[in-house]
Amino acid sequence: MKRFIVLTVAGLLCFAGYGQSFNNEKEKVIMVIHGGAGTILKSQMTPEREKAYQDALTAALQKGYDILKKGGTSLDATEAAVRVLEDNPLFNAGKGAVFTNEGKNELDAAIMDGQTLKAGAVAGLTTVRNPISLARAVMEKSPHVMMIGGGAEQFAREQKLEIVDPSYFRTEDRWKGLQRAKQQDSLRQTKSTSAVLQPENRDDKYGTVGAVALDQKGNLAAATSTGGMTNKKYGRVGDVPIIGAGTYANNNTVAISCTGWGEFFIRLVVAKSISDLMEYKGMSVQEASDKLVMKDIPALKGDGGLIALDKNGKFSMPFCTEGMYRGYITESGRIVIAIYKQ
Amino acid sequence: MKRFIVLTVAGLLCFAGYGQSFNNEKEKVIMVIHGGAGTILKSQMTPEREKAYQDALTAALQKGYDILKKGGTSLDATEAAVRVLEDNPLFNAGKGAVFTNEGKNELDAAIMDGQTLKAGAVAGLTTVRNPISLARAVMEKSPHVMMIGGGAEQFAREQKLEIVDPSYFRTEDRWKGLQRAKQQDSLRQTKSTSAVLQPENRDDKYGTVGAVALDQKGNLAAATSTGGMTNKKYGRVGDVPIIGAGTYANNNTVAISCTGWGEFFIRLVVAKSISDLMEYKGMSVQEASDKLVMKDIPALKGDGGLIALDKNGKFSMPFCTEGMYRGYITESGRIVIAIYKQ
């Protein structure tokens, strides 16, 4: 029998806020997930909505855990967990993705295998139900790492992945989010392109889902999926499908999935930087990820968070935003979920 | 008066081949460029064609040098040098880009500022004459780092960059290259998608141009531009527009531009790895870039090369292919050009 203790953030004193992140988990952790970082305020959350997030994160962790416990691979576990979150309209990935300025849902995803350093990434999708599974197909069924736009969708069709009408991704909440973002833009009455594009209400703008896992053979994997930024223009691509920025896994060090203001994660090559700080400077997963999330990203005036799981089952989930939907599951099946900062 | 000594590879004993790369340049180097690595065989080259490459590389170095000597920025110098190579049909970037499977020219580029860690990247362009200048506009005129496809081209039009008919990029040589690649594919009569996509004649398949520079204020910059891989399908994107993989610059360490089999450069996050080996392990630019190009990339069965210029004007240009079009210019204006391995 698996035992579950689902804790709300109120029961935890161990998560990262604006400052050093730390956790006192004694047991080995085999999977960590996130559902996005942003301006998540308890004051704006209903108990029902909070429970819906907790249930969704729990279901994703459970899905991955069941695979890992049966001896399945970390790749299978992360892909399956991310699919659960892609299919849930609460999160900005798959169904429930945010809208572009043109009123479309454009999806990006990436997956990486820490054992082989193989990776797959896709960007600018509008008809593939589960972008993470297309990223995996790119990794395993093509010699390429990254495919974009219509070409990537042609590959998805040839690989017999589930294709949906673009309207599948639409939710009323996200449509309203686009209208709010457009209103704010016009209210600001700015003239420069750069000012118009500057995110203001970050809660409307961001969101990503991701999973990292460690399987029984000691193989790490990372998977990330996103609908990008509300009201985005010009075919903007964030850090999610950039290997080394938003997604990275290496059996020698760590598996990482990021969420936040993607441009800063690209410029700092965040995930690979953490891996290199661990490999070349001997930092722990906590020290290395704190350096990037609590120091380097804020120094450039960016924000966001990430989940990181090292080869020994040590993990960290730092963020420098108001909140981050996140959770982990230990080897014995104990689940911990949290949303807000401490 | 500037002095020029243009050397062919016959006069040089200092370049990298399959083995340790090393150079004995005593003077400070302020700009290094490349025109792609691949199966470049002296036996298949005419003296006229060799001279044309040397002249083009010399012109690009001279263009960048003139900017740097007048106190211009490394960003201006690298952009200008790459534009010279984009405009020259000899190289697989801008005019003269290779063709996709669908008979189109799809262009990618990236630029990065080592002082601010700002970066711009574009992928999947078909109408922008100089992709490197669009990458720079993305960096400087938008809050984004990466734009792809039609959205990126819309941004180019709004930024008043030069738009051309897609036929501008066409050259007979590259068109024949596509026909050769298609013939080889059908001759192989393979059934699996992955085998069909596997590059065979790498000389037809690859090519990239790039520049790295160090200006009088000590700022580093890197710029890379490419037409990608001949006969590519599915909107494939290589390492060039992936910050940290094919393009990276950081004033603390090094500026890097890569060329070669892009998938391996993405998986190894090559450029950022070199920077981190220098920053965290104290390796020289030569040691760090040799580790990636001569050891890590071949270990995964990839190949290619790169140019790297550190904050002190030390450089390296390792490659593990038959040849790499490459050259550098010293502080005093001395130009050195090379093509083959030693």
Side-chain angles (χ1 to χ4, degrees), chain B residues 20 27 62-63 65 88 165 188 190 215 217 257 261 273 297 315 329:
Chain B
Q20 287 299 102
E27 221 189 319
Q62 191 58 46
K63 186 90 177 178
Y65 182 83
N88 189 316
D165 186 88
R188 271 182 276 160
T190 48
D215 65 27
K217 291 188 175 160
S257 171
W261 197 340
S273 295
I297 292 171
F315 75 105
I329 188 160

Side-chain angles (χ1 to χ4, degrees), chain A residues 91-328:
Chain A
F91 303 98
N92 177 20
K95 186 168 183 64
V98 299
F99 284 87
T100 67
N101 180 270
E102 290 176 312
K104 296 202 290 184
N105 302 111
E106 282 183 2
L107 312 169
D108 308 335
I111 193 164
M112 188 160 182
D113 176 358
Q115 183 185 14
T116 59
L117 300 182
K118 286 189 177 174
V122 288
L125 307 179
T126 58
T127 66
V128 178
R129 174 173 167 162
N130 290 105
I132 196 65
S133 296
L134 180 57
R136 184 151 182 202
V138 169
M139 176 173 78
E140 295 183 338
K141 306 289 174 64
S142 92
H144 299 316
V145 170
M146 188 172 196
M147 296 183 187
I148 62 175
E153 300 198 311
Q154 184 194 334
F155 184 71
R157 288 191 297 275
E158 290 179 16
Q159 293 294 318
K160 313 286 183 208
L161 295 189
E162 188 174 354
I163 304 299
V164 292
D165 187 87
S167 64
Y168 162 81
F169 299 107
R170 181 192 170 105
T171 59
E172 270 315 291
D173 263 13
R174 298 301 190 188
W175 184 253
K176 285 177 192 158
L178 173 63
Q179 308 316 317
R180 275 198 302 275
K182 286 191 166 184
Q183 265 177 347
Q184 283 163 2
D185 277 354
S186 55
L187 279 176
R188 270 181 276 159
Q189 293 176 317
T190 48
K191 282 172 190 159
S192 83
T193 307
S194 115
V196 170
L197 286 168
Q198 203 68 18
E200 188 145 281
N201 182 335
R202 292 185 189 163
D203 204 20
D204 267 351
K205 297 272 183 183
Y206 300 132
T208 303
V209 306
V212 291
L214 174 64
D215 65 27
Q216 291 176 13
K217 291 188 175 161
N219 292 321
L220 288 166
T224 318
S225 182
T226 187
M229 187 185 268
T230 299
N231 201 21
K232 70 182 174 186
K233 291 176 78 173
Y234 307 126
R236 176 259 188 188
V237 172
D239 62 312
V240 167
I242 307 300
I243 300 302
T247 306
Y248 186 73
N250 185 331
N251 273 8
N252 291 334
T253 51
V254 67
I256 292 171
S257 171
C258 300
T259 168
W261 197 339
E263 278 70 14
F264 296 93
F265 286 75
I266 298 178
R267 290 166 56 194
L268 290 167
V269 200
V270 165
K272 184 58 158 74
S273 295
I274 291 170
S275 175
D276 286 349
L277 285 166
M278 294 174 66
E279 185 163 2
Y280 303 138
K281 292 280 275 186
M283 283 192 187
S284 70
V285 60
Q286 191 91 59
E287 290 166 340
S289 50
D290 279 353
K291 177 182 186 305
L292 268 291
V293 174
M294 302 306 182
K295 196 177 144 216
D296 297 352
I297 291 171
L300 294 183
K301 306 201 186 303
D303 62 13
L306 58 84
I307 53 172
L309 179 62
D310 79 8
K311 59 182 177 180
N312 302 311
K314 299 286 181 197
F315 74 106
S316 68
M317 323 192 281
F319 56 98
C320 59
T321 50
E322 293 294 322
M324 179 167 82
Y325 302 106
R326 62 202 187 277
Y328 65 82

Side-chain angles (χ1 to χ4, degrees), chain B residues 63-79:
Chain B
K63 186 90 177 178
Y65 182 83
D66 291 347
I67 291 167
L68 294 169
K69 271 296 166 182
K70 284 180 196 151
T73 67
S74 50
L75 277 173
D76 282 342
T78 53
E79 182 191 356

